[in-house]
Amino acid sequence: MEETISLQDIFRTIRKRAVMIISLTVLSIIVAAIISFYVLTPIYQASTQILVNQQKTDQQIQTTEIQTNLQLINTYNVIIKSPAILSKVIERLDLEMTTSQLANQITVSNAQNSQVVDVSVQDELAFRAVDIANTTAQVFQEQIQVLMKVDNVNILSPALLPEDPSPVKPNKMLNIAIATVLGLMIGVGLAFLLEYLDTTVKTESDVEELLQLPIIGLVSPIDDKDLVQTSPEVRKLRK
């Protein structure tokens, strides 16, 4: 019985504060849409792939050489984002940023046991993201021969600029969905908080709970018209 009453109270509170809950939800959606569409700067991404593989004149690759290349990839991932590479990228593209700022825009990764390294760049301008990705790969291919005395890096797939690039950030629909959920949570939470803080007596159950006494009777409300029609004395008194 207590569970039923508890559920009834929950639905009653939500129904009572429905306008406030809906208003807060709609307000959250509007704010999220404005921020996503007009405030946040779109970020574009471009990626290029680098193949780490020692060139062989006899067209044969030994297993030990493959393992060596795989072990070198972790080192290469660090070298790609090092100032030795990025400083030359900044110089070639005439970028107005530091090597640390550029490193924050670059992500280097590779699948497990894969000799292909993915270099992804995020930037506010789509064409600049493509330029940075391709230039980083080119500079790395050139400098690795000087730094490591090896020639086992080839550009497998350069970054390309699509005709109609679409940003990867912000995810407008995701932001709106999150705002909807947050608006509902805040609205429902505030509704129950207001209900908890409301100590006024409105129903017979409130009286019973307040006085800790059973209710033995109720007085129904009497309309003035009914009272006048059924009581001639009251009509005389009003005259």
Side-chain angles (χ1 to χ4, degrees):
M1 186 65 182
E2 293 181 356
E3 184 178 357
T4 304
I5 296 175
S6 179
L7 289 175
Q8 290 177 349
D9 291 340
I10 291 175
F11 288 122
R12 179 177 59 82
T13 301
I14 293 176
R15 185 171 61 251
K16 178 181 177 181
R17 309 284 183 177
V19 175
M20 182 191 68
I21 295 173
I22 295 174
S23 300
L24 287 175
T25 304
V26 173
L27 179 62
S28 300
I29 294 174
I30 294 174
V31 172
I34 293 175
I35 293 176
S36 298
F37 283 92
Y38 301 105
V39 177
L40 297 179
T41 303
I43 301 297
Y44 299 88
Q45 180 173 299
S47 300
T48 183
Q49 292 182 322
I50 300 172
L51 176 63
V52 179
N53 185 25
Q54 183 70 36
Q55 296 179 352
K56 300 295 291 183
T57 57
D58 57 1
Q59 297 183 351
Q60 293 182 355
I61 302 176
Q62 301 295 331
T63 304
T64 55
E65 293 174 351
I66 294 178
Q67 293 299 325
T68 301
N69 290 330
L70 290 175
Q71 294 173 1
L72 283 173
I73 287 177
N74 292 330
T75 303
Y76 289 173
N77 291 348
V78 177
I79 294 177
I80 291 174
K81 298 179 66 172
S82 67
I85 303 299
L86 299 186
S87 60
K88 295 185 180 298
V89 174
I90 293 174
E91 182 180 353
R92 289 190 184 184
L93 297 178
D94 194 23
L95 302 175
E96 296 182 355
M97 63 178 66
T98 63
T99 56
S100 298
Q101 292 173 333
L102 182 56
N104 292 331
Q105 296 182 220
I106 300 176
T107 302
V108 183
S109 61
N110 69 290
Q112 187 176 6
N113 296 329
S114 172
Q115 295 178 249
V116 178
V117 178
D118 294 319
V119 180
S120 299
V121 178
Q122 293 186 352
D123 194 87
E124 297 177 2
L125 301 176
F127 74 89
R128 190 165 62 185
V130 173
D131 291 341
I132 293 175
N134 289 330
T135 304
T136 301
Q138 293 170 2
V139 171
F140 174 70
Q141 184 183 27
E142 297 169 1
Q143 293 300 311
I144 200 64
Q145 302 178 32
V146 178
L147 297 173
M148 301 287 292
K149 306 299 181 183
V150 293
D151 184 15
N152 64 343
V153 174
N154 295 285
I155 298 176
L156 182 63
S157 175
L160 300 175
L161 180 64
E163 294 182 359
D164 187 18
S166 57
V168 295
K169 296 178 182 179
N171 191 331
K172 301 180 180 66
M173 294 299 102
L174 178 61
N175 291 345
I176 292 175
I178 293 175
T180 302
V181 175
L182 289 177
L184 283 172
M185 293 175 60
I186 294 174
V188 173
L190 186 59
F192 281 100
L193 177 62
L194 293 176
E195 191 69 15
Y196 175 76
L197 296 177
D198 187 3
T199 58
T200 56
V201 178
K202 298 183 178 66
T203 64
E204 59 273 12
S205 60
D206 294 337
V207 176
E208 185 176 8
E209 181 179 356
L210 179 64
L211 300 178
Q212 296 296 316
L213 295 174
I215 296 176
I216 58 176
L218 295 175
V219 178
S220 300
I222 301 175
D223 189 60
D224 290 342
K225 295 181 180 179
D226 297 335
L227 183 63
V228 171
Q229 293 175 357
T230 58
S231 304
E233 294 80 1
V234 175
R235 189 181 301 111
K236 293 179 180 180
L237 291 175
R238 288 191 174 183
K239 290 180 180 181

